[in-house]
Amino acid sequence: VVSTQSTGTKRLGEAMPNRGAIVTILWVGLAFIISWTPTLTIWTIETCGGTVPPWGVLFSRYCLTINVVSNPIIYIASNRGFKTFVIGMLSRTHNDLLSGTI
């Protein structure tokens, strides 16, 4: 038997309590890196005196837009409470918004 109190480590097979949060942070970080890489590449090329074709600039802007859109999608996919909240907000009727019951 391995004691977890003396070493501070967990035994193999024990669940991590914040595993969902860690996975969410990793996905958000990966989406950030992927979507900002084209923009940083363009900035580097232009700083060194090079030129970037217009389609390259447009592609980098689309990647930044995808980053903005990907964060809520990642949170909805990985967090049940956030998913319930978003679905509840999107299912409200126009009258609920006008009456101020939200």
Side-chain angles (χ1 to χ4, degrees):
V1 176
V2 177
S3 173
T4 59
Q5 293 177 352
S6 62
T7 62
T9 60
K10 292 191 173 281
R11 285 184 277 172
L12 186 63
E14 288 186 18
M16 293 174 44
N18 295 324
R19 185 174 186 268
I22 293 169
V23 170
T24 301
I25 290 170
L26 289 174
W27 277 112
V28 169
L30 182 64
F32 178 83
I33 290 169
I34 290 171
S35 57
W36 273 92
T37 298
T39 301
L40 295 175
T41 303
I42 287 173
W43 288 346
T44 303
I45 291 169
E46 290 178 345
T47 301
C48 294
T51 58
V52 178
W55 63 265
V57 175
L58 186 62
F59 176 74
S60 72
R61 301 283 158 66
Y62 281 128
C63 288
L64 294 178
T65 303
I66 289 171
N67 182 353
V68 171
V69 173
S70 70
N71 286 338
I73 292 171
I74 291 169
Y75 288 125
I76 287 170
S78 64
N79 187 327
R80 185 174 296 141
F82 187 75
K83 179 179 183 177
T84 304
F85 171 76
V86 170
I87 291 172
M89 289 300 295
L90 294 176
S91 66
R92 301 288 182 174
T93 64
H94 184 66
N95 291 333
D96 288 341
L97 291 171
L98 292 177
S99 66
T101 58
I102 294 180

